[in-house]
Amino acid sequence: MYTKTLRDQRRGLLGWIIGVVLIVLLESAIWPSFSDMSGMQDFLKNYPEAMRKLFNLDQFSTGTGFLNVELFTMMMPVLFLVFAIGRGARGIAGEEERGTLEVLLVNGVSPIRLALEQAAVVITSVAVLGLALFGSIVVCSAIFGLGVPIAFAASGALSMTLLGMEFGLIAAAIGAATGKRVLALAGASILAVAAYVLYVASQLVPAITPWGPWSPFRQAVGGGPMGVGLPLTFLWLALGGIVCLLAALPVFDRRDIAGA
């Protein structure tokens, strides 16, 4: 089931890979003309301190900082979340809505194994997209002179991969527990939006600042993911989705699929 699902989804994944590569290429192509602009630092100093901190604008004059702002504050997180949540919701819940889930279970595939294989599909797909992001950053950095070290590109790609995996597994867990693809999409998407709002609010509102570390966005992009090494907060990204999936397994195992 694992290999069949990956094979069935390969064309869609290829399209997403091409999209990510093109976005990195377009943003990187701006850098040579942007880096030659005079007075940029003075312009950035006019921004409020909270905005400079939120979007890491103090590092905007370097190639690494430029990509952190242009790619990792909004664009790449949104792309990876849409991709991963869609993949997660399509797994168990998608099969159930198409009426093919019963056939798989009747043929001897246990619910637990099926759920784990669909989760593995999400993890593999997001990881492949992350590798495409990493490779495109390394290549474009060399072509356009951004000067992004390979280790920095790896940490940036890893942060997006783990962020996508977390919410993709959450979507898969909701789909397995409810059998409803729409609920899986909506639930994971609402949690992602809430996490982003918490992250932004924690950067702008002092009273909410202590709650910031609970947001997956703070864990993934806080301080700019390229150049921060491999922070321990990345572990929370990996654990969040896994915990949700494990909690959904017994619910899916006991659910009456035939009556759904």
Side-chain angles (χ1 to χ4, degrees), residues 1-2 92 108-119 249 252:
M1 185 63 187
Y2 168 76
I92 298 297
V109 180
S110 69
I112 299 296
R113 176 185 170 185
L114 183 61
L116 291 176
E117 287 188 356
Q118 290 296 332
L249 288 179
F252 177 53

Side-chain angles (χ1 to χ4, degrees), residues 25-80:
L25 177 63
L26 291 173
E27 292 293 343
S28 300
I30 300 173
W31 171 249
S33 58
F34 179 86
S35 60
D36 293 335
M37 294 176 61
S38 60
M40 181 54 63
Q41 285 297 331
D42 294 335
F43 173 74
L44 294 176
K45 287 179 181 178
N46 293 327
Y47 275 79
E49 182 180 352
M51 296 298 291
R52 295 203 309 270
K53 181 181 178 182
L54 176 62
F55 295 108
N56 305 304
L57 294 179
D58 292 335
Q59 303 174 13
F60 201 49
S61 59
T62 67
T64 298
F66 176 79
L67 290 186
N68 267 333
V69 174
E70 293 295 318
L71 294 179
F72 292 101
T73 56
M74 178 63 72
M75 193 177 301
M76 283 300 156
V78 169
L79 286 175
F80 271 75

Side-chain angles (χ1 to χ4, degrees), residues 6 10 26 35 44 49-51 63 73 92 101 112 126 133 138 145 163 183 189-190 207 224 239 241 249 252 259:
L6 284 177
R10 67 186 184 278
L26 291 173
S35 60
L44 294 176
E49 182 180 352
M51 296 298 291
T73 56
I92 298 297
L101 186 59
I112 299 296
V126 178
L133 175 61
V138 171
L163 182 67
L183 287 180
S189 299
I190 290 171
L239 289 174
L249 288 179
F252 177 53

Side-chain angles (χ1 to χ4, degrees), residues 171-206:
I174 296 174
T178 66
K180 304 296 183 182
R181 188 172 65 90
V182 173
L183 287 180
L185 287 170
S189 299
I190 290 171
L191 288 174
V193 171
Y196 184 74
V197 171
L198 175 60
Y199 167 63
V200 173
S202 70
Q203 298 291 90
L204 302 177
V205 183

Side-chain angles (χ1 to χ4, degrees), residues 53-238:
K53 181 181 178 182
L54 176 62
F55 295 108
N56 305 304
L57 294 179
D58 292 335
Q59 303 174 13
F60 201 49
S61 59
T62 67
T64 298
F66 176 79
L67 290 186
N68 267 333
V69 174
E70 293 295 318
L71 294 179
F72 292 101
T73 56
M74 178 63 72
M75 193 177 301
M76 283 300 156
V78 169
L79 286 175
F80 271 75
L81 287 173
V82 170
F83 173 79
I85 290 173
R87 281 291 193 275
R90 187 186 303 174
I92 298 297
E95 293 284 352
E96 189 165 351
E97 290 185 355
R98 288 191 296 270
T100 57
L101 186 59
E102 294 178 47
V103 177
L104 293 172
L105 296 177
V106 167
N107 286 329
V109 180
S110 69
I112 299 296
R113 176 185 170 185
L114 183 61
L116 291 176
E117 287 188 356
Q118 290 296 332
V121 169
V122 174
I123 292 172
T124 302
S125 300
V126 178
V128 170
L129 196 64
L131 286 174
L133 175 61
F134 166 72
S136 59
I137 291 174
V138 171
V139 172
C140 289
S141 174
I143 294 174
F144 298 104
L146 281 91
V148 178
I150 292 178
F152 287 10
S155 66
L158 180 61
S159 70
M160 295 299 98
T161 300
L162 292 176
L163 182 67
M165 286 180 180
E166 178 171 21
F167 284 95
L169 290 177
I170 289 174
I174 296 174
T178 66
K180 304 296 183 182
R181 188 172 65 90
V182 173
L183 287 180
L185 287 170
S189 299
I190 290 171
L191 288 174
V193 171
Y196 184 74
V197 171
L198 175 60
Y199 167 63
V200 173
S202 70
Q203 298 291 90
L204 302 177
V205 183
I208 304 179
T209 299
W211 297 95
W214 290 97
S215 170
F217 280 87
R218 171 71 176 275
Q219 298 161 14
V221 303
M226 291 204 305
V228 296
L230 296 175
L232 292 177
T233 54
F234 280 11
L235 293 176
W236 292 112
L237 290 170

